[in-house]
Amino acid sequence: MKNKLLAPRTGLIAAFAMAAALVTATPAGATTVSAATAGATASATTASATATAAARPRNGTILFDRISGGRGVLKIKNGLRTDGVVILVRGKTKAISIYVRAKSTASIKDVRDGTYRLYFTTGYGYSKSQHRFTRSASYQRFNDRLRYYTTATASRIYTLTLHPVRGGNAGTRHVNPKDFPA
């Protein structure tokens, strides 16, 4: 008779332990609940984690585009631990921006001819509505401009890194967030 009474309690304890594990494994910024309320909120916590993951753009997502249709290529290597957004500005107008996840590479394969200033921001928790990272954001721009031009037989291809490279030739400077093209 003891075994029959113990079995339901063991199952309850196991379910309680699994629900507590779900709560402690939630991503940073998610609401943490006590083990006593874990069973009732485990579904809500899992849904919150799924929504957070879905909000992060995929690597290579074009966030803004006013210049596609050219033959120029910009390849971006992000060796940082944070995600980044690279923005090309033509004159005073934002031309295109691309999302590059941490430790990833992405490319823009249709840059029109012209001269561009290159800005980038890195951080965590990118907000699509604010066009900014919400945590640990850094704002920079490259000192040199990129000049794209196409001939009958060739087009310009640039490769840049968002992380420091020994022997690299591209200087950057910090930009005030208020002056950053969003």
Side-chain angles (χ1 to χ4, degrees):
M1 197 66 152
K2 282 186 179 180
N3 287 340
K4 288 184 182 179
L5 291 176
L6 190 57
R9 291 184 98 194
T10 305
L12 179 63
I13 291 169
F16 213 50
M18 285 177 29
L22 282 174
V23 171
T24 58
T26 57
T31 304
T32 304
V33 295
S34 68
T37 59
T41 60
S43 300
T45 303
T46 304
S48 173
T50 303
T52 301
R56 183 180 179 216
R58 291 190 336 226
N59 187 57
T61 298
I62 301 296
L63 301 171
F64 181 85
D65 184 2
R66 286 224 173 134
I67 62 160
S68 62
R71 289 182 34 204
V73 176
L74 176 61
K75 183 177 181 181
I76 304 125
K77 296 178 180 180
N78 182 2
L80 300 171
R81 293 181 181 143
T82 55
D83 289 356
V85 174
V86 174
I87 301 170
L88 276 70
V89 175
R90 188 172 176 180
K92 294 183 180 185
T93 305
K94 182 167 92 169
I96 194 165
S97 63
I98 185 170
Y99 194 89
V100 186
R101 285 191 171 188
K103 305 291 183 187
S104 297
T105 300
S107 296
I108 303 171
K109 298 181 180 181
D110 53 0
V111 179
R112 285 188 189 166
D113 288 357
T115 302
Y116 299 91
R117 168 109 21 225
L118 194 68
Y119 291 82
F120 68 99
T121 179
T122 58
Y124 299 99
Y126 186 75
S127 168
K128 290 181 184 179
S129 63
Q130 297 175 1
H131 309 287
R132 296 190 184 278
F133 288 101
T134 59
R135 295 184 324 272
S136 302
S138 170
Y139 302 91
Q140 298 182 57
R141 79 168 187 171
F142 283 90
N143 295 336
D144 296 332
R145 296 171 192 246
L146 301 182
R147 184 168 180 258
Y148 283 92
Y149 58 91
T150 305
T151 66
T153 58
S155 60
R156 190 62 102 156
I157 299 172
Y158 288 101
T159 299
L160 68 96
T161 62
L162 300 185
H163 55 279
V165 176
R166 175 176 270 149
N169 61 357
T172 62
R173 67 176 61 168
H174 289 281
V175 175
N176 185 327
K178 293 177 184 176
D179 299 329
F180 194 81

